[in-house]
Amino acid sequence: DAGVTQSPTHLIKTRGQQVTLRCSPKSGHDTVSWYQQALGQGPQFIFQYYEEEERQRGNFPDRFSGHQFPNYSSELNVNALLLGDSALYLCASSLGGVDEKLFFGSGTQLSVL
Amino acid sequence: EDQVTQSPEALRLQEGESSSLNCSYTVSGLRGLFWYRQDPGKGPEFLFTLYSAGEEKEKERLKATLTKKESFLHITAPKPEDSATYLCAVQSPSGNTPLVFGKGTRLSVIA
């Protein structure tokens, strides 16, 4: 049973560039949430996708956008990258939009130079 | 606004030396309190969910308890493989609200 998979594992970009991160949820899960985790901090909620729509959004600017596909996989896009966007980006899946027992992927480590 | 504060930030224990991690929370009603374990370079791994004051859950050397204002993660006779960052998160009952995480406690268990 495949867990949550994320790609790529590491990424280096320069300021002003755009990036796309990808996530495949755990088999049987239909809800994907994205979190940003800065070094030494807890994960911070970016947004959640359910039934291909953004259902919840945290306190992140519009530069952060996402998408969910019919197979429940998801993408996180960040435009006009800033140095402060450097972080571990975590994808978590769950069933039916209930956050209980989130299953996390290993994350994408994004470095913005 | 929901808030979670974890203490201590870091804890160093000798193998076999039991201790507790604290998670204090402020939330407008509590739907659930969650404990996760996170190893370096990995995503958080679910440990426990607690729903009401007085509830306790155990898993191997870990035991989580909940009061109306805080939760404790007790570690009994820890082993080096218990070294990790332990994250606490809360969820309020207002719709499908996202989890709010604390900064975590970084635990090191020395053989």
Side-chain angles (χ1 to χ4, degrees):
Chain A
D1 179 20
V4 180
T5 58
Q6 292 187 244
S7 63
T9 54
H10 295 84
L11 205 51
I12 299 175
K13 292 288 188 179
T14 57
R15 281 182 301 174
Q17 285 189 314
Q18 178 265 343
V19 68
T20 297
L21 311 181
R22 296 177 175 82
C23 171
S24 292
K26 179 179 169 62
S27 177
H29 284 185
D30 58 6
T31 303
V32 172
S33 301
W34 287 92
Y35 286 80
Q36 180 195 66
Q37 186 175 26
L39 192 63
Q41 303 294 313
Q44 282 204 309
F45 176 74
I46 303 174
F47 42 54
Q48 181 188 79
Y49 277 85
Y50 174 68
E51 293 187 341
E52 300 181 49
E53 292 199 357
E54 182 183 293
R55 187 162 69 169
Q56 294 266 349
R57 187 177 183 93
N59 188 25
F60 280 80
D62 292 344
R63 297 187 297 110
F64 290 77
S65 64
H67 188 77
Q68 185 179 36
F69 299 94
N71 66 352
Y72 307 121
S73 67
S74 177
E75 288 183 348
L76 164 65
N77 300 293
V78 187
N79 293 323
L81 284 167
L82 303 174
L83 297 179
D85 294 331
S86 296
L88 180 67
Y89 287 85
L90 294 164
C91 171
S93 73
S94 56
L95 181 60
V98 177
D99 273 335
E100 179 176 343
K101 206 170 184 177
L102 285 177
F103 288 82
F104 283 87
S106 291
T108 294
Q109 184 65 55
L110 173 65
S111 298
V112 182
L113 306 178
Chain B
E1 182 178 332
D2 301 345
Q3 289 192 336
V4 176
T5 302
Q6 293 189 244
S7 62
E9 289 186 8
L11 182 62
R12 187 181 171 99
L13 299 173
Q14 293 292 320
E15 185 173 3
E17 180 186 2
S18 301
S19 187
S20 296
L21 313 183
N22 177 263
C23 170
S24 298
Y25 62 90
T26 304
V27 64
S28 52
L30 181 68
R31 181 176 185 179
L33 184 140
F34 304 80
W35 282 98
Y36 285 83
R37 169 191 169 128
Q38 186 174 25
D39 293 302
K42 302 287 187 182
E45 176 187 350
F46 173 82
L47 292 173
F48 305 109
T49 308
L50 301 167
Y51 296 101
S52 57
E55 189 174 0
E56 299 182 350
K57 288 194 177 174
E58 292 188 60
K59 180 180 180 179
E60 296 180 0
R61 294 176 292 281
L62 301 177
K63 179 180 177 180
T65 62
L66 180 65
T67 73
K68 288 187 177 180
K69 292 185 178 181
E70 57 192 351
S71 177
F72 293 93
L73 185 64
H74 307 277
I75 303 177
T76 302
K79 299 181 177 182
E81 53 262 40
D82 295 322
S83 298
T85 295
Y86 290 85
L87 296 165
C88 173
V90 296
Q91 185 183 31
S92 66
S94 306
N96 288 310
T97 53
L99 299 187
V100 175
F101 282 85
K103 293 183 178 181
T105 293
R106 191 172 62 254
L107 175 66
S108 300
V109 182
I110 311 302

